[in-house]
Amino acid sequence: MRIVVAEDSVLLAEGLTRILRAAGHDVTATVTDAGELRRVVSDETDLVVTDVRMPPGHGDDGLRAALEIRSRRTGLPVLVLSQYVASAYARELLDSGGAVGYLLKERVGRVTDFLRAIDTVADGGVIVDPEVIGTMLRPSVLDRLTPRETDVLRAMSEGCANAEIASRLSVSDAAVAKHVANIFAKLDLPPQEGNRRVRAILTYLAEH
């Protein structure tokens, strides 16, 4: 199986490559940012393994690239790896159809389980990390947010002003302002609510 690996951690990328090659797969490329991922995937690629968060934006760039590639190559198997549970990302991936997987990176250390996930996704199946499933089944007000709005709220929780968020996510200040307004609306924080930014951040931190 010809596999493209997208992971900006050099050590993890090397580990993934060794595991896959030892299992008899052909890792045709390893890339470190979402732009490279878009360029190297070809008609001969059988499966993509990608991190959610990657350069250049360090947001959901890896996932966005994978979904864009799948829009061009319908049904291309994609296994997404994430450092943390993010049910919004998982939902978006699952909504794109079959032959997808979402695993926490800690599962990669369980080589047998990881390789089984690779085979399942390659065969057109769907696999989701048990911890992610548990989170998806718990209703949360944050589930109302899109992945991009979640990125904005995360940056807000880290003390970033709108201009800093725009730079980090490679979007305009106006786009960030729109995302922030959507966040307030979806978290039921009306204009008369005192210090909506702080309230939104506290809501985010309460679940992370």
Side-chain angles (χ1 to χ4, degrees), residues 47-121:
L47 183 141
V48 171
V49 178
T50 182
D51 190 3
V52 170
R53 296 173 63 81
M54 293 187 70
H58 296 284
D60 57 349
D61 300 64
L63 174 61
R64 292 291 172 194
L67 290 172
E68 181 182 315
I69 292 166
R70 276 175 63 93
S71 72
R72 301 197 308 263
R73 280 195 55 192
T74 304
L76 174 68
V78 172
L79 178 61
V80 169
L81 304 177
S82 181
Q83 190 69 45
Y84 51 87
V85 177
S87 57
Y89 292 133
R91 285 195 181 92
E92 185 161 1
L93 183 67
L94 294 172
D95 286 344
S96 72
V100 294
Y102 187 105
L103 289 182
L104 296 182
K105 288 185 177 180
E106 64 189 54
R107 306 290 177 190
V108 175
R110 303 172 188 175
V111 176
T112 301
D113 290 344
F114 172 63
L115 293 176
R116 186 181 299 118
I118 290 286
D119 291 338
T120 298
V121 172

